[in-house]
Amino acid sequence: MADYSRDCPEIVTQVPSAQKERYKSLRNLFIERFGSEPAFFTRAPGRVNLIGEHIDYCGYSVLPMAIQQDILIAAGPNSDQMLVFKNTNPEYRDFTSNIGDFKIDPTNPLWHNYILCGFRGIVEAECVSVPSGMNLLVDGTIPPSAGLSSSSALVCCGSLVTMHINGLEIPKRKLADICMRCEHYIGTQGGGMDQSICFLAETGTAKWIQFNPIRATNVSLPPGVAFVISNSCVELQKAATSHFNIRVVECRLATQVLAKSKGLDWKQFKVLAKLQEALAVSLEEMLDNVENVLHPEPYSKKEICEILGVSEEELNKESLSQNTLEVTSFKLHDRAKHVFGEANRVMKFKEICDQAPSDAAIQLGELMSDSHTSCRDLYQCSCEHLDQLVELCRLSGSLGSRLTGAGWGGCAVSMVPSEIVDDFISKVQAGYYAANPKLQCRVKESLFATEPGNGANIFEMTAETSL
């Protein structure tokens, strides 16, 4: 059993002054829509991954930070055993269901399904026999489907509401673990990065996050730089496509083919990090194994079955996910090469931050740019618009730029010298957004500098601190 300390999410009674009007507005809307005061608020931040893309579900460490954009929920109990979710954004329709009668539909991942994942995760993990009904009003400032973890923030915020409204206390690392697992209800076979940074983030520092078990270590970023997010405005919902899960499966198959080549029981291995651990070799040696064992050309399903000595039915059961059963071609070499190379870049990034050489920012920028190249060419999780945006960011003065999040659209993150941030943003705005009338109205939410923010918390009003 995992050993969790009693480090639970913070309950605060003071809202930052810059956020008071937002909380007050959400409170007033809650009263208008539900006819009662909210009992409390929960907040969960989005995140930007500085480096370490598509490797958390392979068991390797990552290096994200929380951003100031977030999901905020005003919550109150109801005695009708109903789940009633409303959203401040009129594009998102209201949801109502009896507690015992809701369904999470992975084929149609609407916004409320992510909150339901968090609700179900807590109820099942904590064996809550009679959970409280909930009235929720949701407000979000994280651009959706942009690679900044809006969906995972919804899951985490929903879990936090469910925990608090049912009088539970759950440590942060356990909450992250629950949320990582319960997001699978909606069909996303991801790792634990988004959920871990959501709960474990601290203001002013990025985090080096390791898995199995979850551990988070502060990482001091070099002085004199800022991180700027730029949204390509090409949207991809991970749960609505098989792109993401195909990559997960390709990494799993690469693990199993490599394990078989080393005479190991391949059915015991699902992630590349566990295979490396079993072989007791370095990342560089794992890269050599990739070159020596896996051919660069795609593998057919039939070829993999022959290598592993199983039928197609057995392969489907052992290695594939529900929405990848019809896939017939898998790129094992390139996916594994990216994972081991990216895991190595994460370690180098942290070492540079820890050692703080005079040219730290330049070295980190090079690693970020190398990461994008690998994501684009080996993992093939970028897209034309995102590549154009990354190149524009580099030409506009960034020290390094890369896609962040799942990819196939979404955002780029750039490390920019602090003194040129305003000029950098102006150049990117002129080069990417100004030419497209549809994007001009989205610049404010799509192009911004950000600092490492704090993790998820709960706000309770008191007589002394009412809004």
Side-chain angles (χ1 to χ4, degrees):
M1 260 182 107
D3 177 24
Y4 298 107
S5 69
R6 299 306 301 174
D7 179 22
C8 298
E10 185 180 12
I11 299 176
V12 300
T13 56
Q14 295 285 347
V15 172
S17 55
Q19 290 291 317
K20 277 191 175 180
E21 284 304 312
R22 182 180 175 212
Y23 277 73
K24 186 175 181 179
S25 174
L26 191 60
R27 169 185 174 250
N28 292 339
L29 271 174
F30 187 96
I31 294 169
E32 178 184 315
R33 297 193 187 186
F34 290 107
S36 61
E37 284 269 7
F40 60 92
F41 298 77
T42 59
R43 174 193 170 274
R47 65 95 190 96
V48 59
N49 189 23
L50 301 181
I51 199 160
E53 219 61 74
H54 286 282
I55 63 174
D56 57 339
Y57 53 78
C58 294
Y60 287 107
S61 60
V62 292
L63 216 153
M65 69 183 196
I67 58 176
Q68 290 140 342
Q69 286 72 10
D70 59 21
I71 298 294
L72 182 64
I73 297 180
N78 67 58
S79 58
D80 303 323
Q81 290 290 286
M82 299 296 291
L83 300 173
V84 185
F85 305 162
K86 300 176 184 288
N87 203 299
T88 59
N89 186 335
E91 293 182 15
Y92 300 130
R93 296 175 60 182
D94 294 351
F95 170 81
T96 302
S97 173
N98 184 280
I99 274 180
D101 196 35
F102 70 87
K103 292 180 174 61
I104 298 171
D105 184 1
T107 66
N108 189 24
L110 300 174
W111 72 278
H112 63 262
N113 282 298
Y114 295 97
I115 299 179
L116 290 173
C117 285
F119 173 80
R120 178 180 166 187
I122 296 298
V123 168
E124 292 184 354
E126 297 298 301
C127 301
V128 182
S129 57
V130 186
S132 172
M134 303 193 303
N135 295 331
L136 307 184
L137 180 59
V138 180
D139 183 66
T141 56
I142 310 169
S145 303
L148 299 176
S149 195
S150 59
S151 57
S152 292
L154 271 172
V155 174
C156 294
C157 216
S159 75
L160 203 53
V161 168
T162 307
M163 178 196 81
H164 197 60
I165 213 164
N166 287 286
L168 303 170
E169 290 186 349
I170 304 174
K172 295 175 185 176
R173 287 189 293 140
K174 185 175 181 181
L175 277 168
D177 191 59
I178 291 170
C179 290
M180 174 186 69
R181 297 176 192 281
C182 71
E183 198 162 329
H184 293 179
Y185 298 148
I186 205 164
T188 304
Q189 303 291 312
M193 172 178 63
D194 298 351
Q195 301 82 4
S196 297
I197 191 62
C198 184
F199 287 111
L200 301 174
E202 295 179 61
T203 302
T205 181
K207 290 282 187 177
W208 178 48
I209 295 179
Q210 301 164 275
F211 302 101
N212 304 312
I214 294 170
R215 289 152 289 162
T217 305
N218 289 348
V219 174
S220 296
L221 299 168
V225 299
F227 290 92
V228 179
I229 308 298
S230 49
N231 189 355
S232 70
C233 298
V234 176
E235 296 184 357
L236 173 91
Q237 285 193 334
K238 288 188 294 186
T241 72
S242 60
H243 297 319
F244 186 92
N245 284 353
I246 288 172
R247 298 302 185 275
V248 177
V249 164
E250 286 175 321
C251 290
R252 187 178 302 152
L253 291 171
T255 302
Q256 293 171 336
V257 171
L258 286 168
K260 176 80 171 181
S261 76
K262 298 299 179 182
L264 300 173
D265 180 2
W266 62 269
K267 290 185 180 180
Q268 300 301 311
F269 294 92
K270 302 259 184 208
V271 297
L272 289 163
K274 286 295 182 184
L275 176 61
Q276 183 193 352
E277 183 182 316
L279 294 174
V281 299
S282 67
L283 285 165
E284 288 79 5
E285 288 172 293
M286 289 306 296
L287 281 166
D288 288 340
N289 285 330
V290 169
E291 297 301 334
N292 294 331
V293 176
L294 302 175
H295 56 66
E297 299 78 25
Y299 284 73
S300 68
K301 202 170 191 179
K302 181 181 178 183
E303 183 180 4
I304 294 172
C305 287
E306 289 173 352
I307 291 170
L308 299 180
V310 295
S311 66
E312 184 173 323
E313 290 73 24
E314 289 175 291
L315 187 72
N316 289 346
K317 181 181 177 181
E318 290 288 341
S319 307
L320 273 59
S321 62
Q322 192 59 43
N323 66 346
T324 60
L325 295 177
E326 304 304 317
V327 179
T328 59
S329 179
F330 303 91
K331 293 188 175 182
L332 308 190
H333 171 279
D334 288 1
R335 308 312 187 223
K337 185 175 180 179
H338 164 78
V339 169
F340 293 130
E342 187 76 347
N344 204 24
R345 282 185 285 272
V346 170
M347 298 307 300
K348 288 180 179 177
F349 196 101
K350 181 181 181 296
E351 287 171 8
I352 293 166
C353 289
D354 290 345
Q355 294 165 4
S358 59
D359 64 343
I362 293 173
Q363 291 187 52
L364 297 180
E366 290 173 352
L367 287 172
M368 291 174 68
S369 295
D370 289 346
S371 172
H372 182 79
T373 300
S374 183
C375 286
R376 181 193 67 204
D377 297 343
L378 295 176
Y379 222 71
Q380 295 180 302
C381 60
S382 189
C383 69
E384 182 181 355
H385 287 85
L386 193 48
D387 291 338
Q388 292 171 356
L389 181 55
V390 166
E391 183 61 22
L392 174 62
C393 289
R394 292 174 183 169
L395 294 173
S396 299
S398 81
L399 297 170
S401 300
R402 59 180 295 277
L403 67 81
T404 186
W408 298 285
C411 290
V413 57
S414 299
M415 187 166 64
V416 181
S418 299
E419 66 270 15
I420 69 162
V421 167
D422 290 343
D423 181 61
F424 173 84
I425 288 176
S426 294
K427 287 179 178 177
V428 174
Q429 180 175 341
Y432 190 80
Y433 299 91
N436 189 331
K438 291 182 179 179
L439 300 185
Q440 286 181 28
C441 62
R442 298 179 61 180
V443 170
K444 186 176 180 181
E445 67 180 53
S446 299
L447 181 62
F448 53 88
T450 189
E451 298 176 351
N454 65 316
N457 59 21
I458 300 161
F459 168 68
E460 288 186 338
M461 290 181 290
T462 67
E464 293 76 27
T465 63
S466 59
L467 292 170

